Amino acid sequence: MNSSTRIPQGDDTVKVELTVKEVLALSGAKFPNNHSIEVSARKKLKSIIEDHYIEEYKRSH
């Protein structure tokens, strides 16, 4: 992301419940026999963004 990108409410905090394995997978740890761990974590993050910020953006425009 470059410095000219503006993200409204970009400094707000969000809460997402992830398992330790999901956090490790997002930080780069490999689980070669279980790719679904990383997929699950990414889905949770995407869901938070879509549910809160995309809907809010749509309502304001």
Side-chain angles (χ1 to χ4, degrees), residues 8 54-61:
I54 304 256
E55 291 302 318
E56 188 173 300
Y57 176 80
K58 286 179 183 177
R59 285 192 298 267
S60 68
H61 286 85

Side-chain angles (χ1 to χ4, degrees), residues 3 8 19 21 27 33 35 39 50:
S3 61
T19 66
K21 288 181 180 180
S27 68
N33 297 326
H35 179 66
V39 171
E50 288 176 347

Side-chain angles (χ1 to χ4, degrees), residues 16-36:
V16 181
E17 286 193 31
L18 300 172
T19 66
V20 173
K21 288 181 180 180
E22 289 170 333
V23 172
L24 288 169
L26 290 176
S27 68
K30 301 296 180 194
F31 293 89
N33 297 326
N34 196 349
H35 179 66
S36 65

